[in-house]
Amino acid sequence: DTGVSQDPRHKITKRGQNVTFRCDPISEHNRLYWYRQTLGQGPEFLTYFQNEAQLEKSRLLSDRFSAERPKGSFSTLEIQRTEQGDSAMYLCASSIGTGLTGELFFGEGSRLTVL
Amino acid sequence: DQQVKQNSPSLSVQEGRISILNCDYTNSMFDYFLWYKKYPAEGPTFLISISSIKDKNEDGRFTVFLNKSAKHLSLHIVPSQPGDSAVYFCAHNAGNMLTFGGGTRLMVKP
């Protein structure tokens, strides 16, 4: 297994366009997380799934954001009507339940630039 | 809500010396704290963790110390190596997710 993979790695879009990111977690991991990281900040929690169920969403996740994990495997994060403030690195992570320590395994991220 | 703060945005040390990265938290209720390391253009990778029932956890060159009375933890890297140059995040295990500090950029000079 090659770990958590994310696609695309980079996306440049114009304000008002929609973008979608895909995450493929480690195959045996039932939990999948989305985080956002802006320059100089730590990763901020957006949402997480246990299998196909979306169990928690952050207040950061506005109505323009939607995440799905239709079959409990890969996940997509869609941002509609992008704004310049959406420019960030979007990180996906997976885990087996909460584990003992809560360790998450992160992908390399999808960097979004909104012009 | 747990807040996790790393008050030093950057740290520069000489190769071979000790690096000490600090983290403060607000909520006394937790199970684990974790440290992650992040290189540019890569996702964060897990480094070491510490349970609330311990004061210290060691793994090779990396040791994490927990001071519960001060609500403070620190990561010690001895000896520091140039390959340790990265951004380090402390994170609190909130049960269903990790809450991260803002990070400290460590630069180890040869």
Side-chain angles (χ1 to χ4, degrees), chain A:
Chain A
D1 192 290
T2 57
V4 178
S5 63
Q6 293 188 242
D7 183 72
R9 294 289 310 279
H10 304 276
K11 178 71 176 179
I12 300 174
T13 191
K14 293 182 178 179
R15 188 177 54 187
Q17 298 295 304
N18 299 343
V19 296
T20 299
F21 301 113
R22 176 181 169 123
C23 172
D24 288 273
I26 295 172
S27 58
E28 64 268 25
H29 287 185
N30 60 346
R31 285 202 172 188
L32 186 148
Y33 297 78
W34 287 100
Y35 280 78
R36 180 174 69 187
Q37 185 180 14
T38 53
L39 196 62
Q41 302 296 317
E44 297 173 296
F45 170 77
L46 293 179
T47 188
Y48 88 94
F49 294 82
Q50 179 148 322
N51 300 312
E52 67 275 10
Q54 188 174 18
L55 296 186
E56 192 162 346
K57 294 193 290 186
S58 163
R59 290 186 295 271
L60 294 175
L61 213 65
S62 76
D63 291 344
R64 297 183 297 104
F65 288 70
S66 63
E68 294 182 344
R69 194 182 183 198
K71 296 183 179 179
S73 57
F74 73 92
S75 174
T76 57
L77 177 68
E78 181 183 16
I79 309 173
Q80 296 181 327
R81 305 181 304 281
T82 53
E83 301 173 355
Q84 288 183 328
D86 297 332
S87 295
M89 175 74 83
Y90 290 86
L91 294 164
C92 177
S94 68
S95 71
I96 298 177
T98 56
L100 181 61
T101 65
E103 179 185 348
L104 302 183
F105 295 81
F106 283 88
E108 294 182 321
S110 293
R111 180 169 296 283
L112 173 65
T113 302
V114 182
L115 302 176

Side-chain angles (χ1 to χ4, degrees), chain B residues 16-17 19 21 25 30 34 36 43 45 50-51 54 64-65 72 76 82 95 104 106 108:
Chain B
R17 298 291 188 95
S19 296
L21 299 107
Y25 60 95
F30 73 94
L34 296 80
Y36 276 76
T45 55
I50 188 164
S51 162
K54 292 188 174 182
V64 56
F65 296 92
H72 178 85
H76 293 210
T104 298
L106 173 66
V108 181

Side-chain angles (χ1 to χ4, degrees), chain B residues 43-101:
Chain B
T45 55
F46 171 75
L47 194 56
I48 191 170
S49 65
I50 188 164
S51 162
S52 60
I53 63 173
K54 292 188 174 182
D55 297 321
K56 174 183 173 181
N57 188 28
E58 188 173 356
D59 183 3
R61 296 186 297 114
F62 302 91
T63 303
V64 56
F65 296 92
L66 176 62
N67 183 334
K68 289 185 280 291
S69 61
K71 296 183 182 177
H72 178 85
L73 67 158
S74 60
L75 174 68
H76 293 210
I77 307 174
V78 181
S80 301
Q81 300 174 353
D84 296 329
S85 297
V87 178
Y88 290 79
F89 297 99
C90 65
H92 163 245
N93 176 7
N96 291 324
M97 71 193 75
L98 296 182
T99 301
F100 287 85

